[in-house]
């Protein structure tokens, strides 16, 4: 097998006998291509052959001039190999030596010779010819690449000279070797003057060091470059240039950088103009914003003033009704006291006392309604069965709507207990019933329904409840209904569609305030001419509560078995004395103080005090402040807070068992005091 993939044959020219054929056959057996010729002018010539094996006697039998002519004209890469066979006894004449010189790359083998020597010499000649072919291919490729480079360079320079930008190229050391015609157009000097470091000359002196440093670093790192700088053009005008440069070369070779710079003066000027306009516009907007804020503040002030005027107007409308109600209650109490002073039948006296108690309770209910409207009442929520509560109100509701209208109660099945203040249920339902009555004609029907409701979707209106489990009370009427514009305002305080003097607009606002304060919400379904349904959603209680009313009635008026000392603090002497007398009747020892300071003096002493009952609203030091100081002096002292009106934020941390809501009955007082002493309830202050 041949050591190299030789393709071109070795020409064999041995003209005596069968020497040529035998020699060619021997070469083929040695794995070398060979072809026999019979003259020095073979068909196809010598160009596509691997060399010539020629016997010395061939020069005497054939004209060698075609061979010599081809050898003289062979290309520069070619050094055609020739193997000359000559006899050992042949001499070397001047003619022979001249012939050897004209053959050039000749190898002389003397006969006789061994076959191995012949094959080795022939193989060497063919390999040499193959290397020459490879050199030819390489040189041709280099020539083509050089030609392509020259063509590319020519196209590049032609395009660069016609481009509306400054374009230049550098060598691997960063020196500029070409600058396009645009340099002459912009700077008025020949482009050749910008080669080397000449391209830096037009750059402003304050920008030049930074540009030169950035260019040098980009060339050393062989990285792209992107920067802006200022130059002076041929007219001396200042111009901004944006320069971008990238390495050039191919197949990993770095030949330098190619760069271009475009005039961005107009863009810079536009940006500066835009920035100035933005600043001016921002200043204008700031002035307009301040004016708008001023107008909004003035409008809010006017709206607040208008709201106050509306409230005052509504309060004025309410004054007559409220004064009438309270005067009626006071008339019952004052008249009853007058009759009691005169004496008389004990049975009639007891009846008068009962009437005065009912009048006082009605006054307390009216006060609770006003507090619920103002959202400042402290609620005491507990599990309540709404079905039972509504059933107990049947007579009250029928009386409120009158005999000309029908009442229907629809209690829900398996109703959950509602977590709500039981004292407010009657007020809420009664309020809705009165509104429904005023919206219906004779023969209308009022329906009160309860049910369990689970809300999963987000609320649509602010008065609606959040997602969760609720116990619903729905009050429906067959009245006139409401249009959308009325529904949109129906929960606004003091808004009413009733004639002047017939309504204050507090009803639905009061219902919403109670529902929201309880953790629920309200929804309205209505349509003009088809009636209205108001749904009140109250939070579901986690458990049912046993009825404590019986224990209150049974245990409330029992005389304390162990007794104890109670300190009563109230700035109102009549209230303080009345509370002390009720406690005395219940078997407790009582100490009195008319102010916080007096109470602290008693607490600082050594007397035993088992319970502190303090009024919240007192001048100087209120009940919460006194409770904090009392707790500091006697940490284990139980404290009850009595209040008829209180800032919700000031007492919202107190539990329901720690509050005594005025007016309170003797039974309520007894129950609260007994529980405080037995459970050792201390105010959380």
């Amino acid at each position: 097998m041949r050591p190299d993939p030789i393709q071109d044959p070795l020409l064999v020219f041995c003209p005596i006998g069968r020497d040529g054929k035998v020699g060619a056959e021997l070469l083929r057996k040695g794995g070398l291509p060979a072809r026999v010729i019979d003259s020095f002018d073979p068909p196809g010539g010598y160009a596509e052959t691997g060399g010539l094996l020629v016997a010395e006697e061939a020069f005497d039998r054939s004209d060698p001039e075609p061979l010599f002519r081809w050898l003289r004209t062979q290309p520069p890469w070619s050094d055609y190999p020739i193997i000359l066979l000559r006899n050992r006894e042949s001499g070397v004449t001047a003619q022979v030596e001249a012939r050897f010189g004209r053959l050039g790359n000749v190898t002389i083998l003397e006969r006789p010779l061994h076959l191995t020597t012949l094959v080795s010499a022939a193989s060497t000649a063919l390999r040499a010819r193959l290397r020459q072919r490879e050199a030819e291919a390489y040189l041709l490729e280099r020539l083509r690449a050089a030609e392509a480079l020259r063509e590319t360079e020519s196209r590049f320079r032609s395009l660069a000279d016609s481009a509306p930008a400054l374009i230049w190229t550098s060598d691997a050391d960063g020196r500029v070797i070409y600058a396009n015609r645009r340099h002459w157009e912009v700077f008025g000097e020949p482009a050749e003057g910008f080669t080397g470091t000449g391209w830096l000359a037009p750059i402003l002196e304050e920008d030049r060091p930074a540009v030169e440093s950035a260019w040098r670093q980009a060339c050393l790192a062989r990285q792209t470059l992107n920067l802006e700088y200022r130059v002076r053009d041929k007219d001396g005008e200042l111009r901004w240039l944006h320069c971008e440069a990238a390495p050039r070369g191919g197949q990993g070779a770095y030949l330098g950088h190619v760069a271009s710079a475009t005039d961005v003066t107009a863009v810079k000027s536009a940006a500066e103009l835009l920035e100035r306009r933005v600043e001016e516009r921002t200043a204008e907007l700031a002035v307009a914003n301040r004016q708008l804020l001023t107008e909004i503040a003035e409008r809010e002030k006017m709206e607040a003033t208008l709201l106050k005027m509306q409230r005052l107007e509504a309060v004025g409308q309410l004054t007559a009704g409220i004064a009438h109600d309270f005067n009626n209650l006071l008339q019952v109490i004052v008249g009853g006291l007058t009759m009691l002073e005169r004496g008389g039948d004990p049975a009639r006296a007891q009846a008068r006392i009962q009437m005065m108690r009912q009048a006082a309770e009605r006054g307390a209910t009216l006060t609770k309604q006003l507090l619920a409207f103002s959202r400042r009442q402290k609620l005491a929520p507990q599990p309540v069965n709404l079905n039972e509560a509504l059933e107990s109100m049947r007579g009250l509701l029928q009386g409120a709507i009158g005999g000309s209208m029908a009442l229907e109660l629809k209690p829900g099945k398996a109703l959950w207990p509602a977590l709500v203040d039981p004292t407010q249920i009657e007020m809420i339902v009664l309020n809705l019933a009165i509104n429904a009555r005023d919206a219906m004609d004779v023969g209308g029907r009022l329906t009160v329904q309860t049910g369990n409701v689970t809300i999963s979707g987000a609320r649509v209106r602010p008065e609606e409840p959040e997602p969760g489990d609720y116990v619903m009370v729905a009050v429906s009427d067959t009245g006139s209904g409401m249009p959308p514009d009325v529904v949109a305002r129906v929960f606004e305080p003091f808004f009413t569609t009733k004639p002047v003097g017939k309504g204050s607009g507090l009803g639905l606002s009061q219902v919403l305030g109670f529902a929201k304060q309880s953790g629920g919400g309200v929804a309205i379904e209505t349509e003009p001419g088809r009636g209205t349904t108001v749904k009140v959603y109250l939070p579901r209680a986690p458990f049912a509560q046993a009825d404590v009313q019986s224990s209150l009635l049974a245990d409330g008026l029992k005389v304390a078995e162990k007794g104890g000392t109670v300190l009563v603090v109230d700035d109102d002497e009549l209230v303080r004395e009345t509370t002390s007398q009720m406690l005395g009747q219940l078997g407790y020892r009582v100490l009195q103080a008319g102010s916080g300071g007096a109470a602290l003096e008693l607490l600082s002493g050594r007397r035993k005090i088992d319970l502190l009952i303090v009024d919240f609203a007192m001048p100087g030091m209120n009940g919460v402040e006194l409770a904090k100081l009392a707790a500091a002096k006697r940490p284990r002292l139980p404290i009850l807070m009595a209040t008829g009106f209180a800032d919700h934020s000031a007492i919202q941390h107190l539990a329901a068992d720690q509050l005594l809501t005025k007016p309170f009955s003797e039974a309520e007082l007894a129950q609260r005091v007994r529980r405080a002493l037995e459970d050792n309830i201390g105010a959380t202050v």
Side-chain angles (χ1 to χ4, degrees):
M1 180 178 288
R2 293 182 299 167
D4 294 304
I6 300 173
Q7 298 296 328
D8 295 335
L10 184 69
L11 299 180
V12 179
F13 186 18
C14 298
I16 299 176
R18 298 181 67 251
D19 289 351
K21 292 182 179 180
V22 173
E25 185 65 26
L26 291 175
L27 291 174
R28 293 190 190 102
K29 288 182 179 180
L32 302 175
R35 178 161 62 90
V36 178
I37 61 176
D38 55 7
S39 73
F40 284 108
D41 190 13
Y46 296 96
E48 302 298 327
T49 63
L52 174 63
L53 175 63
V54 59
E56 183 179 25
E57 58 269 21
F59 289 94
D60 297 329
R61 294 174 179 265
S62 179
D63 182 11
E65 190 57 32
L67 172 63
F68 294 148
R69 186 169 55 250
W70 186 85
L71 290 175
R72 289 195 304 271
T73 60
Q74 65 179 327
W77 56 268
S78 177
D79 191 12
Y80 193 71
I82 298 175
I83 301 173
L84 177 63
L85 300 178
R86 66 190 309 268
N87 295 326
R88 189 185 303 272
E89 63 275 7
S90 299
V92 179
T93 65
Q95 182 182 3
V96 171
E97 192 165 343
R99 184 185 300 162
F100 290 165
R102 296 181 70 184
L103 290 176
N105 183 16
V106 61
T107 300
I108 300 175
L109 297 179
E110 293 183 346
R111 293 180 293 193
L113 72 158
H114 196 274
L115 176 61
T116 303
T117 302
L118 176 63
V119 172
S120 176
S123 178
T124 300
L126 289 173
R127 281 199 301 272
R129 188 61 175 169
L130 180 62
R131 297 294 181 268
Q132 293 174 21
R133 291 291 188 187
E134 292 174 350
E136 175 194 21
Y138 175 74
L139 290 174
L140 289 175
E141 182 64 27
R142 289 294 299 273
L143 289 173
R144 284 194 292 267
E147 182 62 26
L149 180 61
R150 283 193 297 271
E151 184 178 354
T152 301
E153 187 76 14
S154 176
R155 282 201 306 269
F156 167 76
R157 295 196 177 197
S158 177
L159 290 173
D161 285 338
S162 62
L166 300 175
I167 298 176
W168 66 93
T169 59
S170 72
D171 59 16
D173 296 326
R175 292 186 297 270
V176 173
I177 58 177
Y178 165 76
N180 72 338
R181 187 183 304 155
R182 183 68 176 172
H183 286 76
W184 176 81
E185 296 173 356
V186 174
F187 301 111
E189 296 182 10
E192 293 75 11
F194 295 93
T195 58
T197 59
W199 68 281
L200 294 170
I203 300 176
L204 259 64
E205 292 185 4
E206 51 265 39
D207 293 354
R208 193 178 303 157
V211 175
E212 187 175 7
S213 175
W215 174 262
R216 184 168 52 253
Q217 291 177 7
C219 293
L220 290 174
R222 301 179 181 182
Q223 294 177 342
T224 59
L225 176 66
N226 193 319
L227 77 162
E228 291 183 350
Y229 53 87
R230 295 167 296 172
V231 297
R232 293 283 181 186
D233 64 11
K234 60 184 178 181
D235 298 324
E237 293 184 2
L238 182 68
R239 310 197 71 81
W240 276 95
L241 296 183
H242 176 77
C243 173
E244 293 186 9
R248 65 186 183 93
Q251 300 179 350
Y254 172 67
L255 302 178
H257 269 67
V258 58
S260 68
T262 55
D263 191 336
V264 293
T265 306
V267 176
K268 282 285 187 179
S269 300
E272 293 175 357
L273 178 60
L274 178 61
E275 186 175 353
R276 288 196 301 271
R277 289 182 177 177
V278 168
E279 292 177 354
E280 294 172 357
R281 185 58 178 162
T282 301
E284 293 174 359
L285 289 175
V287 172
N289 187 49
R290 287 193 295 270
Q291 292 176 348
L292 180 59
L293 291 175
T294 302
E295 292 175 1
I296 291 174
E298 292 177 355
R299 180 175 179 178
E300 290 177 348
K301 184 177 180 180
M302 293 176 62
E303 289 177 350
T305 303
L306 180 59
L307 180 60
K308 289 180 181 179
M309 293 175 63
Q310 290 174 341
R311 286 181 176 272
L312 289 174
E313 181 182 359
V315 170
Q317 294 174 3
L318 285 173
T319 300
I322 295 175
H324 178 268
D325 288 344
F326 271 107
N327 284 335
N328 286 342
L329 301 178
L330 293 175
Q331 178 62 44
V332 174
I333 296 173
V334 173
L337 291 174
T338 301
M339 298 302 294
L340 288 176
E341 288 176 351
R342 294 179 180 177
D345 185 10
R348 297 185 65 183
Q350 187 63 36
R352 292 189 182 97
I353 293 173
Q354 183 63 26
M355 286 189 294
M356 288 188 289
R357 179 178 290 110
Q358 291 177 356
E361 291 174 351
R362 286 174 57 192
T365 300
L366 181 58
T367 302
K368 288 180 180 179
Q369 291 175 344
L370 294 174
L371 288 176
F373 162 71
S374 67
R375 316 289 200 275
R376 303 183 71 174
Q377 184 180 15
K378 178 70 174 180
L379 299 181
Q382 63 187 52
V384 174
N385 188 318
L386 293 185
N387 285 343
E388 295 178 358
L390 292 178
E391 185 61 36
S392 66
M393 292 179 60
R394 181 184 290 272
L396 179 63
L397 291 174
Q398 188 64 66
I401 64 176
S404 62
M405 298 181 186
L407 172 65
E408 182 181 8
L409 299 183
K410 291 184 177 180
K413 296 181 180 180
L415 193 67
W416 297 327
L419 188 62
V420 65
D421 188 334
T423 62
Q424 302 300 308
I425 293 298
E426 178 179 330
M427 177 198 69
I428 294 303
V429 178
L430 188 59
N431 238 325
L432 295 176
I434 292 173
N435 280 348
R437 177 201 65 190
D438 294 341
M440 292 188 293
D441 297 327
V442 175
R445 174 177 293 274
L446 176 70
T447 304
V448 183
Q449 183 178 359
T450 60
N452 300 329
V453 177
T454 298
I455 298 177
S456 57
R459 63 183 183 180
V460 178
R461 294 176 56 87
E463 67 269 10
E464 295 177 356
E466 298 285 353
D469 291 338
Y470 297 94
V471 184
M472 178 198 69
V473 180
V475 178
S476 304
D477 63 61
T478 58
S480 57
M482 293 180 285
D485 59 323
V486 173
V487 175
R489 300 187 58 194
V490 75
F491 291 109
E492 294 181 11
F494 307 111
F495 175 76
T496 180
T497 58
K498 299 177 182 179
V500 177
K502 297 297 184 180
S504 62
L506 299 178
L508 287 177
S509 178
Q510 181 181 355
V511 171
L512 177 61
F514 165 72
K516 285 296 185 181
Q517 196 173 357
S518 299
V522 181
I524 290 184
E525 298 175 359
T526 184
E527 185 177 346
R530 301 182 65 88
T532 300
T533 298
V534 180
K535 297 180 178 181
V536 181
Y537 296 90
L538 302 172
R540 175 185 180 182
F543 57 88
Q545 184 178 18
D547 187 8
V548 298
Q549 185 66 23
S550 59
S551 63
L552 174 64
L553 296 176
D555 301 337
L557 295 177
K558 287 184 179 180
V559 176
E561 297 178 359
K562 297 182 180 180
T565 301
V566 180
L567 173 57
V568 179
V569 185
D570 200 309
D571 63 304
D572 190 312
E573 183 178 357
L574 295 177
V575 175
R576 185 175 68 248
E577 185 62 34
T578 301
T579 304
S580 298
Q581 289 180 6
M582 285 193 290
L583 289 170
Q585 292 290 331
L586 293 172
Y588 297 101
R589 293 180 297 278
V590 181
L591 299 176
Q592 298 186 35
S595 65
L600 289 176
E601 290 184 6
L602 292 173
L603 291 170
S604 299
R606 302 178 62 86
R607 298 186 62 173
K608 180 182 179 183
I609 297 176
D610 300 296
L611 175 65
L612 172 63
I613 300 178
V614 56
D615 181 44
F616 171 78
M618 295 189 299
M621 182 188 303
N622 64 33
V624 173
E625 295 169 343
L626 175 58
K628 290 180 180 179
L629 296 174
K633 291 180 177 294
R634 301 194 183 194
R636 300 182 61 82
L637 176 65
I639 301 174
L640 292 178
M641 189 73 63
T643 179
F645 174 80
D647 183 1
H648 182 83
S649 62
I651 61 170
Q652 61 182 355
H653 62 284
L654 299 180
D657 289 341
Q658 295 173 278
L659 292 177
L660 264 176
T661 302
K662 296 179 181 179
F664 48 82
S665 65
E666 188 176 18
E668 291 174 326
L669 176 64
Q671 193 263 353
R672 286 283 194 271
V673 171
R674 180 183 295 275
R675 181 172 297 178
L677 292 174
E678 290 178 353
D679 298 341
N680 194 30
I681 296 176
T684 304
V685 295

